[in-house]
Amino acid sequence: MKRAANPHRWPALLLALFLAPAAVAGELRSPEHPDPAAFDPAMRAAVAEARGQLQDAAGWARLGSLYLLVHANAAAADALHNAATLEPREFRWPYLEGIALHRAGQAAAARHAWQSALTRDPNYAPLRLRLARSALEAGHTDAAQDFLADARATATGQELAGEIALARGQVKEAVTAFTRALELAPQANWLHVRLAVAYGKAGDKQKAREHLKARGTRRPEISDPVLEAVSAARPRDVASFLEEAHAALSRNHRYSALLAFQAAVRMDPRSVPALLGIAGLSLGAGRKAEALGYLQRALEIEPGSAEAHFYAGLIQESNGAAARAESHYVRALPRESARYRLARLLLRLGRAAEALPHLEVLTAEKSATAVRFYWLGLAHLAMGNCAGAAAALDAAHARDANSGEVIAARVRVHSSCAPLDGPARARLLAQAQRLYQARPDAGDAETLAMALAAAGEFDKALRYQQQALAATAPEAPQRPFLAANLARYARGETAIAPYEKDSLRLRPPADQYSSPPAP
Amino acid sequence: MPARLRTRLWLACLLVAGPAMAAERLPFPADVLNPPWVEGRQLEQTLDADSLAVAHDLQFRDQQPQSGINFRHQVVEDAGRAYKAVHYDHGNAVVAADVDGDGLPDLYFATQLGGNALYRNLGNGRFEDITARAGVAVADRVSVAAAFADTDNDGDPDLFVTTVNQGNLLFRNDGDGKFTNISGPAGLDHRGHASGAIFLDYDRDGLLDLFVTHVGVYTTDKIGPGGYRIGLSDGFSGQLHPDRFETSRLYHNLGGNRFADVTRSAGIEDNSWSGDAHAADLNGDGWPDIYLLNMQGHDQYFENQAGKGFKRRSRELFPVTPWGSMGIRIADFDNDGDPDIFVTDMHTDMVEELPPAREKERMPHNYPQAFLATDGRHMLGNAFFRNAGNGTFRDISAENGAETFWPWGLSSGDLNADGFEDVFITGSMNYPFRYGVNSLLLNDAGKRFVDAEYLLGVEPRRDGKTATPWFELDCSGPDRTHELCKNRAGAVEVWGALGSRSSVILDLDGDGDLDIVTNEFGSVPQVLVSDLAQRRPRLNYLAVRLEGKKSNRDGLGARVQLETDRGRYVRFADGKSGYLGFSSMPLYFGLAADEKAVRLEITWPSGVRQSLDAPIDTRKTHRIVEAGG
């Protein structure tokens, strides 16, 4: 249907037509080049090279594209303007110039650049869509409709057609267009909102509600090869590959991260961070030998790399090579995690006196976690220092009142070598009971028996100790300890010690915090 | 006209008015300028509005540009280009009182930088800035909260302002809207990380005492731009550091504007990480108790021991509270005659960012126990403690729609004049977070709250704005190491989300309905003017301004009961007006369809009971002077 022109628009339009050619005329501009110090080295080099080759349109376009990538929009617009002037048939340069201008907040100038691009290539759909949206935002639905033309074959085009229809009050047409857009891009669940709005305006509340329920925030996307080519031409260096790898890791995209680390190594075979990255990923995938190979390469380049030593220590420890692991951990010692692993390794090796100073360092910080105090408590226990163990386990409990292992160790210590009185002892017994309710195994039955004996409830203590004994294998090393305590409870005596000598028999507290035991 | 020519002409026309090249606009996060969820949310709320039982025949319109209020809240750098999770992002108060005795409520806005502002009400919704002549700018300090109350019983509101470790301030009103700083002689110039302040007469001696909440140490000794103390980088874990604790403080009014710190002797020492508190007679014994919020731990309840001190009964009455309590309002929300408690929980909502479509849900999980540093008994969201009438309270927030996302504090008032207190909750976290809405909860006959911010024109904001320029960077110059300058050059204007902090509900234009004024964070206030009075020419309401004689002059602590043929309404004179705010305003009763009030009964804090019987004029403000004084 032919639409009537609005007669009131003519005076302004004629004036604009008169002014327009002066603004359109193109002369080469001198961009205000941004300070390259803000760029990464690869970009700095690429910009310097591009600035030396500004004799033709391709040179200006290359520089403009680089400036677009670093968001130096004013300079990008000037450079791309020059490219467009020198190559009057090429639509890409005014198109990109328009994008730079739009990003710089110059909506009208952007539209003008895009219009120039449109005269050079009327068929590039992303260009038409940008113009259509721009016209719609300015309230010119007729112009928006004209720009849309064949570009409506895409989901974004249909969405825009729907918006134009909505702006004109044509709700049926809007529903049709949004529905079609959703068919073309079912993943674009934001379109449900637009459909709900259209149905709401049409008075169909039921449909509106249905689409509101299905709504999301994902908008339809459109492929823009010109802009994608600009992004793909970003100059790369090792740092950018590392950045890409870490970004991929933060999204848990391990394969992408591996590819980026490998690309960095290809570019610089002596990149220690990249080698470590590959080693870490290999280790995570269980390929220990391969990981160790990359770590050795890293250590050849940087013998003091704490990170490389730490990873190597982890691998050697898991291989059962305790001495090598210890050696690596020691060389990684500025690293806190290495100190933690070293302390645990020494404890496991029965060298509590050597572990103790490391654990004291680890628990000296205000933010020290429960698990560190827990291991400190065990180190004290292994050295026969019950008071030290009690203090450390109390600190662990204060930081995490829900760790079963901390509760168990603390109950055992305070029920044997560091007894408590009165309400504190009653609370301890209540904790042991809750722990047993949550985890009714042999170890926690034994813990409960200790707490009961400490509270003077020897009959119950005997019952739980017998239960623990019955659930313990005949060859288990702790059986004599269990039997000895059973005899003590029968005599009305408390447990002889928290654990049997030289065998801590403990599980580490969960690194993840567990749910509180049932009250 | 051919299509091709038409579009060319349009483009050329636009070119004429093209703006100059500006700094790159960088919205952060990317969709903060045009959040894709807003329209769906709006539609969801408005689609079935016709079937709502609660009255919603009103609209708010932000008339800040016309109001003459051109105050702009300014944030310290810790909330801007050097953002860190520290308590500066809690913002500042807006409070109201008639400072010059002309019968109109004036407004005081606090800020972090640039100076606070006092606006005199000229009538008809117009204001003028009288800060300079009033002498209350406090431009040399970083303010937090503000409280208006008549501390010397001379008939005009005095002003107390808290600051961030720069000394609190008491300004005596000299009677004509001019103020004199008497902080030192008054004994109220304590330096600490003070936050909300409330006045109450805890010993009922006729003089208003002061309770000031303290957050705890969250700043360093380093001074940042504008003179503020730069925040600790781990300020949000202050509850794990006992060396940073500060007790909230109770000051006893000795008369003659002199105060004595009685925190310890009154038994109210407490190290909660507290931003605000509320006084109310929760056990009905006639003595004001204190509910103290803890934004990083359990809330505390201190029961008044007949004016001799306080007894902590927190876990007995409130075994489970929000962990991140930020704002509080105590009022008779269900019109059963006793006070209920509405607590907003901001810090639990920092566990993770819920998508907008799930904002009415409770946070699905809590922080690790080691971070909570409590016994772990917390609700994950706002609390609504309904007074059971037998001295106990039950949280019904899961049933009555009290949950909102990223809430700061709340104000209450009968916005639709149906007899029930409605609630306005300020929200949003500003830069570097996404936009969050302010919530308007209409009270549906005391049974539930109905979300109505989009329905009543509070959202979307004026001109649909969701973001504002937050700071600028020179990515080719001194800011090139800023994280947002990575691979950027030139000037960058970073845009961050808008967000409110404090609010006050009052009849600012004297037309009989209640309006809302906010104090924003890093932006200009919203002056949300209601059109209820214009839509309902026979708007039924009644307001009461108390004047104590034996009791404190403001009548704080009084219980006012209004009876009509169809209902009974109770309001408590407590002064709490919004997050960080304490105001001096008349009590407002919406009367729904009741055109007549048959009895008004006041129980003064002195114990005096006083009543007025019909005929009692409605649609006016009654000044009630305490009898027997």
Side-chain angles (χ1 to χ4, degrees):
Chain A
M1 189 175 73
K2 185 171 174 145
R3 289 181 295 275
N6 179 354
H8 300 292
R9 293 198 305 192
W10 280 103
L13 294 178
L14 286 171
L15 174 66
L17 187 62
F18 175 73
L19 290 171
V24 172
E27 289 177 8
L28 291 191
R29 296 173 185 164
S30 299
E32 191 177 327
H33 297 286
D35 181 356
F39 309 150
D40 63 45
M43 180 62 78
R44 205 178 304 145
V47 166
E49 186 185 348
R51 285 185 64 177
Q53 297 174 354
L54 296 176
Q55 64 275 26
D56 57 12
W60 281 109
R62 171 72 178 148
L63 182 64
S65 299
L66 290 171
Y67 282 160
L68 256 187
L69 286 169
V70 295
H71 303 269
N73 296 314
D78 284 346
L80 289 160
H81 169 87
N82 290 350
T85 304
L86 291 170
E87 197 171 3
R89 290 173 182 272
E90 177 56 60
F91 87 99
R92 288 177 298 169
W93 315 144
Y95 174 61
L96 292 173
E97 180 193 357
I99 290 173
L101 290 164
H102 191 260
R103 285 182 185 173
Q106 282 204 335
R111 288 174 196 131
H112 177 65
W114 286 332
Q115 172 67 22
S116 170
L118 193 69
T119 60
R120 301 175 186 207
D121 182 351
N123 299 316
Y124 189 59
L127 168 60
R128 287 194 158 274
L129 291 170
R130 285 182 196 275
L131 273 165
R133 191 176 294 283
S134 164
L136 181 63
E137 283 169 2
H140 298 269
T141 55
D142 288 352
Q145 180 88 346
D146 295 337
F147 285 130
L148 206 50
D150 296 338
R152 64 170 58 226
T154 61
T156 309
Q158 285 295 334
E159 178 219 328
L160 268 170
E163 300 295 355
I164 293 167
L166 265 188
R168 289 173 167 169
Q170 299 163 342
V171 290
K172 278 187 183 173
E173 288 81 350
V175 165
T176 305
F178 289 137
T179 304
R180 180 78 187 117
L182 201 52
E183 287 167 2
L184 290 166
Q187 75 283 2
N189 50 14
W190 175 79
L191 288 166
H192 285 291
V193 177
R194 308 310 301 149
L195 267 167
V197 170
Y199 275 119
K201 286 185 190 291
D204 190 340
K205 291 186 177 182
Q206 184 55 36
K207 286 272 191 194
R209 274 187 216 104
E210 285 171 18
H211 283 287
L212 277 178
K213 273 188 188 162
R215 76 186 190 268
T217 57
R218 194 159 172 190
R219 295 174 187 265
E221 293 169 1
I222 183 163
S223 165
D224 187 342
V226 172
L227 205 53
E228 285 158 15
V230 170
S231 299
R234 173 184 279 278
R236 301 301 302 263
D237 61 1
V238 171
S240 71
F241 280 119
L242 290 176
E243 191 178 317
E244 181 182 320
H246 289 128
L249 279 178
S250 71
R251 296 190 303 272
N252 207 24
H253 294 173
R254 288 163 181 253
Y255 185 64
S256 301
L258 181 64
L259 291 178
F261 280 133
Q262 287 171 339
V265 170
R266 277 196 301 275
M267 191 167 272
D268 178 8
R270 293 178 62 79
S271 168
V272 171
L275 290 167
L276 290 176
I278 297 172
L281 287 168
S282 304
L283 186 58
R287 299 193 297 272
K288 290 193 280 190
E290 187 182 316
L292 208 49
Y294 281 104
L295 291 171
Q296 280 162 353
R297 277 174 63 182
L299 286 170
E300 283 164 16
I301 299 161
E302 194 179 313
S305 167
E307 197 169 0
H309 281 298
F310 175 67
Y311 281 131
L314 285 180
I315 293 170
Q316 298 294 8
E317 188 180 359
S318 72
N319 285 343
R324 285 185 191 171
E326 182 184 345
S327 165
H328 280 300
Y329 287 149
V330 167
R331 279 180 280 175
L333 256 191
R335 201 182 151 112
E336 206 173 68
S337 49
R339 190 182 297 282
Y340 178 72
R341 298 297 306 200
L342 176 63
R344 287 190 51 178
L345 178 66
L346 291 170
L347 261 185
R348 198 161 55 77
L349 295 172
R351 291 154 59 187
E354 292 172 66
L356 195 65
H358 293 297
L359 289 163
E360 282 171 343
V361 169
L362 289 167
T363 50
E365 297 167 19
K366 281 180 185 168
S367 59
T369 55
V371 69
R372 294 182 181 185
F373 280 100
Y374 173 78
W375 289 113
L376 179 66
L378 297 203
H380 279 302
L381 268 187
M383 294 173 65
N385 177 4
C386 190
L393 291 168
D394 287 349
H397 187 67
R399 282 161 176 76
D400 182 358
N402 299 316
S403 163
E405 303 321 312
V406 172
I407 291 172
R410 187 168 171 268
V411 167
R412 283 168 179 256
V413 167
H414 284 304
S415 300
S416 54
C417 58
L420 296 174
D421 291 325
R425 188 171 63 196
R427 282 198 296 274
L428 200 70
L429 176 57
Q431 285 171 9
Q433 286 166 332
R434 283 202 298 270
L435 181 65
Y436 179 73
Q437 278 175 3
R439 274 184 354 190
D441 61 14
D444 291 319
E446 185 192 355
T447 304
L448 178 55
M450 284 190 186
L452 286 163
E457 298 184 33
F458 292 104
D459 290 345
K460 287 184 186 172
L462 272 173
R463 200 165 73 236
Y464 282 103
Q465 189 73 356
Q466 282 164 345
Q467 189 180 320
L469 204 52
T472 304
E475 67 280 10
Q478 66 266 37
R479 270 194 83 87
F481 179 70
L482 283 165
N485 273 339
L486 186 70
R488 288 178 67 87
Y489 302 157
R491 292 197 299 272
E493 295 170 2
T494 57
I496 190 166
Y499 299 95
E500 64 274 20
K501 199 167 184 312
D502 298 330
S503 174
L504 293 174
R505 191 166 39 97
L506 294 173
R507 289 164 292 193
D511 285 334
Q512 298 283 328
Y513 291 92
S514 53
S515 306
Chain B
M1 183 169 48
R4 197 179 177 84
L5 178 58
R6 188 170 59 204
T7 49
R8 273 192 70 108
L9 286 173
W10 170 75
L11 282 159
C13 182
L14 286 169
L15 190 63
V16 175
M21 186 73 80
E24 179 194 355
R25 178 188 289 193
L26 176 63
F28 194 92
D31 65 358
V32 75
L33 277 173
N34 186 19
W37 48 269
V38 167
E39 203 160 6
R41 183 85 167 268
Q42 180 173 13
L43 186 63
E44 193 172 51
Q45 205 169 92
T46 53
L47 200 59
D48 295 314
D50 295 348
S51 59
L52 283 179
V54 64
H56 55 278
D57 55 333
L58 68 156
Q59 283 287 303
F60 289 94
R61 196 167 144 244
D62 181 6
Q63 300 206 8
Q64 177 269 328
Q66 299 90 340
S67 70
I69 297 172
N70 51 16
F71 165 79
R72 176 177 284 272
H73 182 269
Q74 295 180 47
V75 304
V76 297
E77 230 178 52
D78 276 13
R81 63 167 61 206
Y83 175 83
K84 57 171 73 96
V86 71
H87 297 76
Y88 280 117
D89 62 4
H90 291 215
N92 295 87
V94 55
V95 289
D98 176 11
V99 299
D100 56 356
D102 65 357
L104 301 172
D106 309 302
L107 292 167
Y108 184 69
F109 297 89
T111 183
Q112 291 177 340
L113 299 179
N116 302 339
L118 179 62
Y119 282 88
R120 177 171 172 261
N121 194 330
L122 304 173
N124 297 317
R126 296 276 307 162
F127 291 80
E128 68 168 338
D129 186 343
I130 58 166
T131 314
R133 79 166 183 259
V136 289
V138 198
D140 58 339
R141 306 183 195 196
V142 175
S143 297
V144 184
F148 275 124
D150 189 353
T151 58
D152 48 10
N153 288 338
D154 66 350
D156 52 37
D158 308 294
L159 173 65
F160 181 73
V161 178
T162 62
T163 73
V164 182
N165 209 14
Q166 292 171 307
N168 298 328
L169 295 147
L170 179 66
F171 292 99
R172 185 189 64 221
N173 191 329
D174 295 330
D176 54 356
K178 290 182 184 165
F179 291 79
T180 302
N181 181 353
I182 58 166
S183 318
L188 293 179
D189 56 351
H190 176 75
R191 290 169 70 117
H193 296 76
S195 187
I198 58 171
F199 285 96
L200 71 162
D201 184 4
Y202 79 89
D203 57 352
R204 290 169 39 185
D205 63 354
L207 296 167
L208 285 178
D209 312 302
L210 172 65
F211 185 65
V212 182
T213 65
H214 280 245
V215 178
V217 177
Y218 60 85
T219 61
T220 65
D221 290 333
K222 291 182 185 161
I223 304 299
Y228 82 104
R229 288 170 188 274
I230 293 174
L232 288 164
S233 55
D234 64 344
F236 193 52
S237 60
Q239 75 280 7
L240 304 178
H241 301 275
D243 55 313
R244 298 183 192 169
F245 291 171
E246 287 182 4
T247 183
S248 294
R249 288 166 185 266
L250 178 66
Y251 297 94
H252 183 228
N253 191 334
L254 306 172
N257 265 330
R258 288 179 304 113
F259 290 79
D261 184 342
V262 295
T263 312
R264 177 168 290 186
S265 61
I268 200 166
E269 269 190 313
D270 183 80
N271 290 328
S272 292
W273 213 250
S274 181
D276 220 336
H278 202 304
D281 180 11
L282 290 179
N283 57 0
D285 66 353
W287 298 89
D289 313 299
I290 293 179
Y291 190 104
L292 175 68
L293 300 177
N294 189 344
M295 65 177 89
Q296 283 160 225
H298 281 305
D299 293 344
Q300 301 295 332
Y301 167 61
F302 290 96
E303 194 173 77
N304 194 326
Q305 304 299 298
K308 297 182 181 66
F310 290 86
K311 182 180 177 188
R312 190 193 302 263
R313 294 193 63 201
S314 315
R315 300 273 73 75
E316 292 170 62
L317 262 77
F318 303 97
V320 179
T321 68
W323 184 82
S325 297
M326 200 58 66
I328 181 168
R329 183 76 187 111
I330 298 178
D332 181 12
F333 287 103
D334 52 5
N335 281 358
D336 64 355
D338 51 34
D340 312 297
I341 308 171
F342 196 142
V343 176
T344 52
D345 180 351
M346 163 60 93
H347 276 173
T348 297
D349 282 348
M350 303 308 293
V351 173
E352 69 178 48
E353 188 176 315
L354 285 184
R358 291 176 51 202
E359 287 187 354
K360 288 299 282 186
E361 298 174 18
R362 284 175 175 266
M363 184 58 60
H365 51 263
N366 210 340
Y367 296 106
Q369 188 62 36
F371 183 74
L372 292 172
T374 63
D375 64 10
R377 288 182 293 171
H378 305 292
M379 59 187 71
L380 303 177
N382 296 350
F384 187 95
F385 295 112
R386 185 177 182 276
N387 193 328
N390 58 1
T392 65
F393 292 82
R394 187 170 80 85
D395 172 53
I396 58 166
S397 57
E399 303 146 36
N400 74 346
E403 178 59 9
T404 59
F405 191 59
W406 280 347
W408 292 102
L410 66 164
S411 306
S412 76
D414 190 358
L415 296 170
N416 55 3
D418 68 348
F420 289 88
E421 288 277 288
D422 307 300
V423 173
F424 180 79
I425 304 179
T426 53
S428 196
M429 283 289 298
N430 301 84
Y431 173 84
F433 298 88
R434 72 165 169 86
Y435 177 66
V437 299
N438 287 328
S439 300
L440 196 157
L441 305 182
L442 283 177
N443 186 338
D444 187 359
K447 297 188 293 262
R448 64 174 187 138
F449 289 109
V450 175
D451 298 302
E453 58 274 2
Y454 285 100
L455 195 59
L456 301 188
V458 167
E459 295 283 346
R461 289 169 177 246
R462 180 161 45 88
D463 302 328
K465 282 185 181 168
T466 51
T468 189
W470 205 249
F471 55 88
E472 287 194 354
L473 297 170
D474 179 359
C475 290
S476 296
D479 300 318
R480 66 169 56 115
T481 57
H482 193 282
E483 59 176 350
L484 293 180
C485 281
K486 200 170 176 72
N487 277 327
R488 276 199 157 77
V492 173
E493 185 180 60
V494 179
W495 282 56
L498 287 163
S500 308
R501 291 298 180 274
S502 185
S503 60
V504 58
I505 292 178
L506 74 168
D507 182 4
L508 69 84
D509 50 3
D511 64 355
D513 59 30
L514 291 178
D515 313 296
I516 305 168
V517 178
T518 69
N519 195 357
E520 300 293 301
F521 192 61
S523 188
V524 295
Q526 292 189 85
V527 181
L528 297 162
V529 176
S530 167
D531 66 359
L532 183 66
Q534 289 68 45
R535 289 179 185 232
R536 278 195 225 161
R538 296 288 297 174
L539 178 66
N540 298 313
Y541 75 97
L542 182 153
V544 174
R545 176 169 277 290
L546 299 174
E547 185 179 319
K549 289 296 181 187
K550 188 178 176 192
S551 303
N552 65 82
R553 178 82 177 228
D554 287 344
L556 291 182
R559 180 181 190 274
V560 181
Q561 180 171 304
L562 178 73
E563 289 174 26
T564 67
D565 288 334
R566 276 179 274 195
R568 189 184 66 175
Y569 312 95
V570 172
R571 300 286 181 266
F572 303 100
D574 55 48
K576 192 79 186 110
S577 58
Y579 181 49
L580 303 173
F582 194 92
S583 298
S584 177
M585 292 185 299
L587 301 171
Y588 181 91
F589 295 82
L591 300 178
D594 290 327
E595 298 202 350
K596 291 178 185 170
V598 296
R599 185 176 168 81
L600 188 64
E601 186 176 299
I602 300 102
T603 307
W604 293 88
S606 62
V608 169
R609 284 182 162 231
Q610 185 175 353
S611 61
L612 274 75
D613 293 314
I616 302 171
D617 291 342
T618 57
R619 292 188 282 279
K620 68 173 281 191
T621 299
H622 293 260
R623 177 169 164 264
I624 311 268
V625 181
E626 184 177 10

